[in-house]
Amino acid sequence: MGEETQKSNLVPMAATIVGIRQMTDKEKLFTVRLDNGNGFKHRPCQFVLISMFGIGEAPISISSPPVNSGNTFELCIRSIGNLTGAIHRSSVNDRIGIRGPYGNGFPLEKIEGKDILIIAGGLGLAPIRSLIKHVLNERGRYGRLILLIGAKRPEDILFKEEIAMWEEDHSIEMHVSVDIAAPSWKNHVGVITGLFKYITIDPLNTIAAVVGPPVMYRFVVKELLAKKMFEGNIFLDMERRMRCGIGKCGHCQINGIYLCQNGPVLSYLEARKLQEAL
């Protein structure tokens, strides 16, 4: 990467918040449009660096599919610090900075014609929603779509309205679990791996995508391997400690791999070779 290219990748593009939707008590969904009028091209599970002038910058996964309407894209943001707290206090028409997209994204070329099994825990549903909506937009190009979704409590589940629609869509096989729930909760209670008993897969024709808290990965991979899945067909979103987005600061480095460039999506075949990854 040349010096001029590096500099241009560090300059935020001006953008405007054009929509805000409250998702839970901690997360909001922001719809953003670039001020230059250009479309925004990305792959599922890529991320951007969002900035607010005078406050700072933070990495946020893109939640919308690659082809969106009106040249906008969506970011589901949890309020956990100064920057994300300031964004949560923003209003429609406020301006922000955007760098990116960064990262390799999900390998779409590997999943065409395949069954897709998606396991999303907690906030992990935010980045993988981009892949789910891409598959739904191009439904004829893919086989079965199986969704396993987990959260701590029913009120923590993201995109509830869309999940309700997915439950009514007979082309989707979906199971939802929460760790804790009132007796009125009708779905599964327990960790997300408890949902594997409800599904069957063709291990030779299935691609798995796993996104969630780091503690979840080891147990989910164990379930997938027990179903005879090939290690190279299991993809993990390893986004963590992203900072500069261009492989310079080293915050996201794991055993010589810069996740902001070589990841965040790695196959299990790749990830298991990294001592600190899982």
Side-chain angles (χ1 to χ4, degrees):
M1 184 182 294
E3 183 176 349
E4 291 303 318
T5 302
Q6 289 183 25
K7 287 181 180 177
S8 64
N9 284 344
L10 290 170
V11 177
M13 297 176 285
T16 299
I17 297 171
V18 297
I20 302 174
R21 181 154 59 104
Q22 188 81 42
M23 304 296 292
T24 71
D25 60 347
K26 300 186 186 69
E27 288 95 7
K28 291 182 179 180
L29 184 69
F30 294 82
T31 304
V32 177
R33 177 182 293 128
L34 296 178
D35 289 354
N36 60 17
N38 292 339
F40 189 78
K41 296 180 179 179
H42 70 280
R43 293 164 67 92
C45 296
Q46 283 192 299
F47 67 97
V48 295
L49 273 296
I50 183 171
S51 58
M52 296 197 74
F53 308 112
I55 299 178
E57 191 176 56
I60 302 293
S61 297
I62 304 162
S63 295
S64 48
V67 177
N68 206 359
S69 59
N71 289 334
T72 62
F73 57 98
E74 294 172 323
L75 306 171
C76 182
I77 300 177
R78 174 177 289 175
S79 179
I80 56 172
N82 290 337
L83 188 281
T84 53
I87 292 174
H88 266 238
R89 294 190 292 275
S90 299
S91 303
V92 170
N93 293 326
D94 281 354
R95 300 182 75 202
I96 58 176
I98 294 289
R99 287 200 290 125
Y102 296 116
N104 57 359
F106 196 85
L108 294 176
E109 63 280 1
K110 289 183 178 292
I111 67 173
E112 187 157 344
K114 302 286 188 180
D115 296 342
I116 315 297
L117 168 59
I118 291 175
I119 303 102
L123 190 56
L125 184 58
I128 208 65
R129 172 179 178 258
S130 176
L131 178 61
I132 295 170
K133 298 198 76 165
H134 169 77
V135 172
L136 291 175
N137 288 341
E138 305 283 342
R139 195 66 190 92
R141 297 169 59 185
Y142 304 99
R144 296 167 61 197
L145 176 59
I146 308 168
L147 307 181
L148 304 184
I149 296 171
K152 287 185 178 178
R153 306 170 301 167
E155 53 267 39
D156 295 326
I157 297 174
L158 298 169
F159 305 105
K160 294 183 182 69
E161 294 176 359
E162 289 174 34
I163 287 176
M165 290 191 293
W166 297 342
E167 286 178 326
E168 298 298 321
D169 187 335
H170 296 300
S171 74
I172 303 173
E173 302 166 46
M174 190 171 73
H175 301 275
V176 180
S177 181
V178 295
D179 296 344
I180 305 169
S184 58
W185 173 252
K186 302 299 184 185
N187 289 310
H188 186 269
V189 177
V191 295
I192 196 169
T193 49
L195 297 176
F196 277 86
K197 62 186 176 187
Y198 300 121
I199 65 169
T200 58
I201 63 170
D202 175 359
L204 299 179
N205 193 50
T206 301
I207 299 290
V210 186
V211 190
V215 68
M216 184 185 92
Y217 284 59
R218 183 177 302 173
F219 300 101
V220 168
V221 168
K222 183 178 179 181
E223 295 286 344
L224 293 170
L225 295 178
K227 288 187 175 293
K228 310 298 183 187
M229 282 204 63
F230 173 54
E231 294 178 347
N233 286 343
I234 300 170
F235 291 91
L236 313 174
D237 188 329
M238 307 293 294
E239 185 175 333
R240 60 187 68 171
R241 300 194 296 271
M242 301 301 188
R243 182 67 64 84
C244 71
I246 59 171
K248 290 297 180 184
C249 72
H251 278 81
C252 66
Q253 183 182 194
I254 298 180
N255 301 118
I257 296 293
Y258 289 87
L259 288 174
C260 69
Q261 293 200 306
N262 305 113
V265 180
L266 301 178
S267 72
Y268 176 63
L269 195 61
E270 298 168 309
R272 69 180 181 84
K273 299 174 183 175
L274 305 176
Q275 188 175 11
E276 304 170 17
L278 298 173

